[in-house]
Amino acid sequence: MPIDVLMPALSPTMESGKLSKWLKKEGDPIKSGDVIAEIETDKATMEVEAVDEGILAKILIPDGTEEVAVNTPIAIIAAEGEDASAVSAAPKAAPAPKAVEAVAAAPAVAVEAKAPAGAAPARASEPEPEVPAGTEMVSMTVREALRDAMAEEMRRDPSVFVMGEEVAEYQGAYKVTQGLLQEFGADRVIDTPITEHGFAGLGVGAAFTGLRPIVEFMTFNFAMQAIDQIINSAAKTLYMSGGQLGCPIVFRGPNGAAARVAAQHSQDYAAWYSHIPGLKVVAPYTAADAKGLLKAAIRDPNPVIFLENEILYGHAFEVPKLDDYVVPIGKARVARAGRDVTIVAYSIGMTYALKAAEELAKDGIEAEVVDLRTIRPMDIETIVASVRKTGRCVTVEEGWGQSGVGAEIAARLMEHAFDYLDAPVTRVSGKDVPMPYAANLEKLALPSVAEVVAAAKAIAYA
Amino acid sequence: MALAARKASEAGAATESAQPKKTSAAAKKQATPKKPAALKAANRKAMEAVPPLTKEQELHAYREMLLIRRFEEKAGQMYGMGLIGGFCHLYIGQEAVVVGMQMATREGDQVITGYRDHGHMLACGMDANGVMAELTGRRGGYSKGKGGSMHMFSKEKHFYGGHGIVGAQVSLGTGIAFANRYRKNGAVCLTYFGDGAANQGQVYESFNMAELWKLPVVFVIENNKYAMGTSVSRASAQTDFSKRGTSFNIPGEQVDGMDVRAVKAAGERAIEWARSGKGPYILEMQTYRYRGHSMSDPAKYRSKDEVQRMREEHDPIEQVRRRLLTDWKVSEDELKAIDAKVREIVNQSAEFATNDPEPDPSELWTDVLL
């Protein structure tokens, strides 16, 4: 029987990649372990090794094909002496330009969380009001936006430097710091040992002297090792010093669930850090916000927790082409206007919220979607203004419900908009369990579009 | 239980109350054949005899140490009167460490330490009024009354705190040294911590980065023999703290931390090493605190004899006083004049700290963010 060679997944969150080069041609004998092709993801170029032996009977995806979905058959290996004509009987899958169907079919992935690049609704990337009319927009991934933000600020201010694990020579574990070492050199782009507690404290000490460190955590899960320095040293020293000793530092990195990495690597820390006076906490969704808010965070004289999301890194959005695009911290954004129900979300939670809004629209319910963007200080005014209009609110977060961001929003709405509420504030959150590994359980543990839709309908009495 | 505790404390007393080792003996003990050349060189220097101070230096050390001693005694007294609240960790007995080290610094060098910090602030030249008023939680305190005993800072005097989490200041101090290297300003950060903090994980994370990047930092381990109530031998597998950097190739010395001359000499070696770009240096200061860990600690884990012996035989201030009287022929009257001046400063600070108003209620909401 001929064997299909499938497009491999090279990282937990990879959805598709470019088949950059075949190293074998049709008719070549293949031994297990032979490198047969090179595949380029947004993070790296990887070699594909054959697992099976035989003859490379047919190449299904030619060199240079972009966005080949994971699990797409890319070639067929026939056994020695097998009739080459058997090959034509093999299933031939067309290269899927959009990965979502192929990915959805695979049991491995939380589908709602994985809208492919470019699939984000146009309304999600409405420009800021302060962007002048007629500004040129460029499509850019969140990853590129973050890198550009750091590079621009490092050009602007020599006291800005970036440190963390694999940020320099490796070009970033998630390639967010790509190219920075080449432009700014090893004095300002610094690979650290794997010692989060130590280098977080070192960064805080440097910030006490007035430098502006950007400390990258490979993921925020590892920042738990450093949380004492973040809270006890970075957040509190200004107060404890009577205003003498500020700490202009940014702690950034991917936060929340990636895909299939289980409980210790899948956690949303937004609520944790938002509890702390003395910190600002930012969690952008779009590339434009990622860029503008990171620039604001680097300029901010206070410690800023900048929560990124690994799944969003590869998503592309329209970003205004401006020399200095800065988005103010502490302002939410109405991502979609509506009159019937308010959905408040942040970071990847926005993907559920926006899709749910589209579903609801089909049933005649117009949802207003508020992208919180900053968790602390929380822009409660924008939420209240929306709820005054709609009388209803659903909050969406991947983190746990108890003492979560949604719980805070619900309490604030009780305080500031009680008379405007026509229904209880309803929370959609991650389930109250550690993140499971099994694909089906992981999907169940995360929020879903269906849950957001159901919550909105329940309080809209629809 | 009581018997066991007493036995443990006696055993502790027997091992811990030994005289601070002479630097030469300590250095010989350290010199193992496999040491890198840099460490050997450091040890050879440590073997040299303690260089004498000039008369002016002795007088300076005497005045500085006495100021700390009297200040701390006053703080203890005011704590007993209920004027100072919360935690209050006194530095009495350890004065030679910070005073000797400050004598080895130059303008611009930074200091950071843990919670037993009043002595460091005074030695850095911070105003006694501001320190005492912070202890009493008044608006004229260095942190406007919002930090308290463990949390004071002075950018002007290059003092970076005052940190309440055991060991946290080691990473922070390493970061200050990182900033020195980043700015190429030639400054060295003196990072103080105790024998207790020396067992914290982030200390070794910091050692690693400091040596890896050759940061200008001197790690000053104030080994006062007890981490709160736990004697060094009960908490530390390696009780020679000068060796704690060995696996990172950081040179270290044991220093008689009760002798301000030895401290100054070792400080000069260490600071020169760090300033010249060779990286960090560890000084284990063998010292002793006369009081309990904090005001609420009756210090039953050690014998009265042990404390008495240290006070009588090794008191850092008495040592200087004796030399001033005998070697430098300074008159009792002259020393009494210094005593009187110091008492005046301390009394004035107590007066200020007692009468200065509490912070305005509006201060509750300030200084959270810039």
Side-chain angles (χ1 to χ4, degrees):
Chain A
M1 273 294 287
I3 300 153
D4 283 349
V5 179
L6 303 180
M7 181 73 171
L10 301 169
S11 79
T13 53
M14 175 177 163
E15 298 158 5
S16 62
K18 176 182 176 184
L19 207 167
S20 44
K21 198 165 156 197
W22 280 102
L23 301 171
K24 300 277 182 185
K25 51 186 192 300
E26 288 182 3
D28 281 356
I30 305 286
K31 285 207 300 289
S32 129
D34 282 354
V35 177
I36 57 172
E38 281 179 6
I39 287 176
E40 212 176 300
T41 70
D42 49 5
K43 291 177 205 158
T45 300
M46 308 280 282
E47 293 177 334
V48 181
E49 289 184 9
V51 182
D52 302 293
E53 307 215 333
I55 306 289
L56 185 62
K58 183 93 186 147
I59 287 175
L60 302 171
I61 306 287
D63 285 7
T65 308
E66 306 260 6
E67 293 203 44
V68 181
V70 167
N71 284 340
T72 307
I74 55 174
I76 296 168
I77 294 179
E80 200 88 45
E82 205 168 8
D83 186 1
S85 66
V87 163
S88 57
K92 211 184 257 183
K98 290 281 175 239
V100 74
E101 289 83 8
V103 170
V109 187
V111 177
E112 276 76 33
K114 306 205 126 237
R123 268 174 291 210
S125 54
E126 276 172 12
E128 291 289 305
E130 54 263 38
V131 175
T135 301
E136 189 190 339
M137 303 296 278
V138 287
S139 177
M140 183 181 279
T141 63
V142 170
R143 171 182 288 114
E144 292 162 342
L146 292 167
R147 188 214 36 223
D148 285 1
M150 285 189 280
E152 287 177 20
E153 293 306 300
M154 288 176 78
R155 280 174 213 133
R156 186 177 166 268
D157 181 352
S159 68
V160 178
F161 67 94
V162 58
M163 68 188 307
E165 294 153 10
E166 310 289 6
V167 298
E169 296 199 5
Y170 195 87
Q171 304 290 311
Y174 297 101
K175 296 289 171 280
V176 177
T177 52
Q178 192 146 35
L180 295 184
L181 173 67
Q182 284 65 31
E183 179 172 354
F184 299 102
D187 284 347
R188 298 182 67 195
V189 185
I190 299 141
D191 280 325
T192 64
I194 306 173
T195 51
E196 284 82 6
H197 197 185
F199 71 70
L202 189 151
V204 172
F208 283 164
T209 75
L211 294 183
R212 293 181 173 268
I214 304 168
V215 173
E216 175 176 309
F217 292 117
M218 194 182 287
T219 80
F220 262 92
N221 302 290
F222 313 141
M224 275 222 272
Q225 299 252 20
I227 204 163
D228 173 68
Q229 288 289 7
I230 296 172
I231 292 171
N232 272 319
S233 299
K236 295 181 184 173
T237 298
L238 181 71
Y239 196 82
M240 295 195 305
S241 67
Q244 277 191 75
L245 212 58
C247 187
I249 192 169
V250 176
F251 296 104
R252 52 153 290 270
N255 168 63
R260 306 295 310 282
V261 291
Q264 290 179 339
H265 287 72
S266 308
Q267 191 167 328
D268 178 1
Y269 289 90
W272 290 54
Y273 292 109
S274 87
H275 190 61
I276 309 299
L279 292 180
K280 294 186 178 181
V281 184
V282 177
Y285 164 57
T286 68
D289 286 345
K291 183 175 183 189
L293 283 166
L294 183 52
K295 283 166 68 76
I298 294 166
R299 291 182 198 183
D300 201 283
N302 300 288
V304 180
I305 306 292
F306 196 90
L307 303 170
E308 299 159 9
N309 185 284
E310 188 190 332
I311 290 163
L312 294 177
Y313 278 154
H315 287 211
F317 296 84
E318 298 289 296
V319 177
K321 194 176 176 186
L322 293 170
D323 285 345
D324 197 17
Y325 181 63
V326 181
V327 175
I329 291 173
K331 286 190 105 76
R333 178 180 64 103
V334 176
R336 175 187 175 121
R339 60 175 190 278
D340 298 324
V341 59
T342 301
I343 304 175
V344 186
Y346 60 90
S347 185
I348 197 165
M350 282 296 293
T351 59
Y352 309 108
L354 289 168
K355 282 188 195 159
E358 287 188 1
E359 293 293 314
L360 290 163
K362 289 178 195 160
D363 293 331
I365 299 171
E366 285 301 327
E368 179 147 300
V369 179
V370 175
D371 181 354
L372 209 47
R373 303 198 291 190
T374 298
I375 315 295
R376 171 185 267 273
M378 191 177 277
D379 180 5
I380 201 68
E381 288 79 13
T382 297
I383 301 171
V384 167
S386 178
V387 169
R388 282 186 172 196
K389 192 166 58 171
T390 63
R392 295 169 168 82
C393 183
V394 175
T395 66
V396 184
E397 66 191 303
E398 282 198 345
W400 293 302
Q402 175 157 347
S403 311
V405 174
E408 177 65 23
I409 293 169
R412 300 271 194 116
L413 286 175
M414 294 276 277
E415 290 162 0
H416 299 289
F418 185 76
D419 291 339
Y420 296 89
L421 286 171
D422 294 324
V425 178
T426 303
R427 292 176 290 165
V428 175
S429 67
K431 307 306 178 293
D432 201 23
V433 295
M435 184 65 76
Y437 169 71
N440 63 330
L441 298 182
E442 182 186 60
K443 199 175 164 190
L444 288 170
L446 289 165
S448 67
V449 173
E451 286 170 358
V452 180
V453 168
K457 284 187 173 174
I459 58 170
Y461 310 117
Chain B
M1 182 60 211
L3 182 68
R6 192 159 57 83
K7 274 192 174 161
S9 113
E10 278 165 9
T15 50
E16 302 303 335
S17 67
Q19 291 188 7
K21 287 168 198 155
K22 292 270 188 302
T23 42
S24 57
K28 265 179 213 156
K29 208 174 130 202
Q30 271 183 290
T32 56
K34 284 188 177 171
K35 281 237 161 77
L39 274 74
K40 276 193 208 158
N43 289 328
R44 265 201 308 277
K45 282 183 182 170
M47 277 186 255
E48 292 160 14
V50 176
L53 300 182
T54 65
K55 181 181 167 189
E56 284 65 36
Q57 287 169 332
E58 295 273 32
L59 282 166
H60 171 82
Y62 180 73
R63 186 207 164 272
E64 290 289 296
M65 290 194 289
L66 200 64
L67 175 65
I68 295 171
R69 174 78 51 98
R70 296 285 172 261
F71 183 93
E72 294 289 67
E73 286 166 352
K74 181 60 84 179
Q77 194 187 359
M78 288 174 70
Y79 192 93
M81 293 159 67
L83 284 162
I84 296 173
F87 295 125
C88 186
H89 309 91
L90 302 181
Y91 197 62
I92 297 174
Q94 301 180 211
E95 297 91 343
V97 177
V98 76
V99 170
M101 286 303 296
Q102 278 310 105
M103 290 171 79
T105 59
R106 76 179 190 208
E107 171 59 25
D109 291 342
Q110 303 101 340
V111 170
I112 188 168
T113 187
Y115 48 77
R116 197 177 304 285
D117 55 356
H118 314 159
H120 300 71
M121 294 187 271
L122 295 173
C124 285
M126 287 167 68
D127 175 42
N129 284 10
V131 179
M132 196 66 96
E134 190 60 38
L135 296 182
T136 55
R138 305 306 170 96
R139 65 178 58 173
Y142 264 98
S143 300
K144 302 185 199 165
K146 301 202 282 194
S149 164
M150 301 185 286
H151 312 296
M152 279 179 253
F153 309 82
S154 169
K155 272 205 140 167
E156 184 203 348
K157 302 291 182 189
H158 315 293
F159 180 73
Y160 283 83
H163 295 272
I165 304 297
V166 174
Q169 76 273 24
V170 182
S171 305
L172 297 170
T174 307
I176 294 166
F178 176 91
N180 289 340
R181 198 199 61 163
Y182 191 90
R183 293 194 170 97
K184 301 179 172 65
N185 61 10
V188 174
C189 182
L190 306 186
T191 300
Y192 290 82
F193 52 105
D195 48 280
N199 293 326
Q200 285 275 22
Q202 66 179 314
V203 169
Y204 299 91
E205 300 186 16
S206 302
F207 281 3
N208 182 46
M209 288 183 283
E211 178 66 25
L212 184 67
W213 298 330
K214 302 286 182 209
L215 302 182
V217 55
V218 175
F219 297 112
V220 185
I221 305 178
E222 296 194 69
N223 177 5
N224 66 15
K225 317 276 191 276
Y226 297 92
M228 195 170 155
T230 305
S231 69
V232 161
S233 58
R234 292 202 301 124
S236 295
Q238 169 57 275
T239 57
D240 182 344
F241 292 95
S242 71
K243 289 183 181 165
R244 290 296 184 95
T246 305
S247 65
F248 306 96
N249 300 324
I250 304 175
E253 288 180 40
Q254 287 185 313
V255 183
D256 179 355
M258 305 302 272
D259 182 348
V260 71
R261 300 168 305 173
V263 172
K264 175 175 171 285
E268 280 167 353
R269 285 192 292 276
I271 290 170
E272 165 55 24
W273 178 277
R275 208 186 309 279
S276 67
K278 291 181 185 154
Y281 202 100
I282 292 171
L283 296 176
E284 177 194 342
M285 297 294 177
Q286 300 191 313
T287 183
Y288 199 80
R289 75 170 142 74
Y290 296 172
R291 299 293 186 95
H293 160 74
S294 64
M295 296 305 297
S296 57
D297 170 23
K300 290 199 166 147
Y301 40 82
R302 59 189 190 187
S303 69
K304 283 211 168 84
D305 284 356
E306 175 186 318
V307 182
Q308 204 50 37
R309 212 160 39 242
M310 288 305 287
R311 295 187 83 127
E312 282 168 8
E313 295 168 18
H314 301 285
D315 186 75
I317 300 176
E318 268 312 305
Q319 289 185 42
V320 179
R321 187 181 158 81
R322 266 199 306 271
R323 286 198 299 271
L324 282 168
L325 289 169
T326 53
D327 301 354
W328 297 104
K329 310 291 180 214
V330 175
S331 70
E332 284 276 5
D333 284 351
E334 233 175 302
L335 293 183
K336 271 188 188 150
I338 295 175
D339 293 9
K341 241 185 197 150
V342 163
R343 276 189 200 282
E344 195 189 316
I345 293 170
V346 169
N347 288 338
Q348 217 256 311
S349 77
E351 179 78 12
F352 176 73
T354 306
N355 297 315
D356 192 41
E358 289 188 315
D360 189 88
S362 66
E363 283 292 344
L364 178 65
W365 300 104
T366 61
D367 306 322
V368 178
L369 291 170
L370 281 169

